[in-house]
Amino acid sequence: MRSNRREELVASAGDHALAAWLGRLQDGSFSRAGRALRTAYPPQRQMTGPELAGYLERRTYAVASSTRPDGRAHAAPTLFSLYAEAFWLPTLGGAARLGNVRAHPWLALSILEGEHDTHAAVLAEGPAEVVATVPDEVRSITEARNRGGSLDWATAWLRMTPQRLFSFAEVAWQGAADTS
């Protein structure tokens, strides 16, 4: 029954709307990017909106990067979900990233797979906030992405609204075939 619920939640998220939003976000990000970034992430290697949506629905974990109150970098893996044009990260109440986001309300996410000529990456960044409660849909979607595992441990959540999103898919990346 859980797999049916997961399919329902993914379908109810509006795949076409998600793909369109991600495509617009990426297009805007690249239009404002400097030459060095556009060289490192050439247009012919960018994922399309539907590829981005499929990739992010398929990937469960990201590396979240934040800045400690004293200015040092901090990175840690995290479960994530997309909902209402934001990334939602369940978090333990004592996690370092909570204090980091309170001190510097910004988060960068790196979602990677593959190696060498089969690798792909999505990088997203934007303002973040600590929230104590989340919409029921966020909890349900995240539990489904966590293979039905309980999120009782998540006593706080981070909500990051991406202002920039970049993708890169190497020539032999097979993910494009998974988004049909």
Side-chain angles (χ1 to χ4, degrees):
M1 191 69 163
R2 283 197 192 278
S3 62
N4 292 340
R5 177 71 175 142
R6 182 171 194 267
E7 290 168 11
E8 176 185 315
L9 289 168
V10 170
S12 71
D15 295 343
H16 296 295
L18 177 64
W21 168 66
L22 290 167
R24 286 190 311 273
L25 177 61
Q26 177 173 247
D27 289 348
S29 300
F30 274 103
S31 73
R32 296 183 307 273
R35 191 171 81 173
L37 191 132
R38 287 192 309 267
T39 300
Y41 290 81
Q44 65 273 24
R45 296 287 187 263
Q46 295 172 21
M47 293 180 201
T48 64
E51 287 172 340
L52 282 164
Y55 181 78
L56 293 172
E57 287 174 0
R58 201 167 36 77
R59 303 305 306 162
T60 308
Y61 293 92
V63 173
S65 300
S66 57
T67 304
R68 295 178 192 272
D70 66 5
R72 293 178 298 137
H74 177 262
T78 184
L79 178 65
F80 75 91
S81 291
L82 274 170
Y83 178 78
E85 297 186 359
F87 286 85
W88 297 81
L89 291 63
T91 307
L92 290 168
R97 74 183 89 186
L98 295 175
N100 298 350
V101 167
R102 286 183 181 112
H104 304 283
W106 194 266
L107 205 58
L109 298 177
S110 302
I111 303 125
L112 311 167
E113 76 176 8
E115 299 291 336
H116 305 289
D117 66 344
T118 65
H119 85 277
V122 171
L123 309 175
E125 63 180 62
E129 62 181 324
V130 177
V131 293
T133 60
V134 296
D136 290 339
E137 294 89 348
V138 170
R139 183 171 286 280
S140 296
I141 290 167
T142 307
E143 284 176 344
R145 290 174 57 74
N146 195 30
R147 294 187 175 172
S150 169
L151 295 175
D152 291 344
W153 53 266
T155 56
W157 290 71
L158 294 175
R159 179 181 184 270
M160 188 270 280
T161 306
Q163 288 185 350
R164 294 169 32 120
L165 184 138
F166 301 100
S167 70
F168 179 91
E170 193 50 89
V171 292
W173 178 63
Q174 297 298 309
D178 296 338
T179 62
S180 60

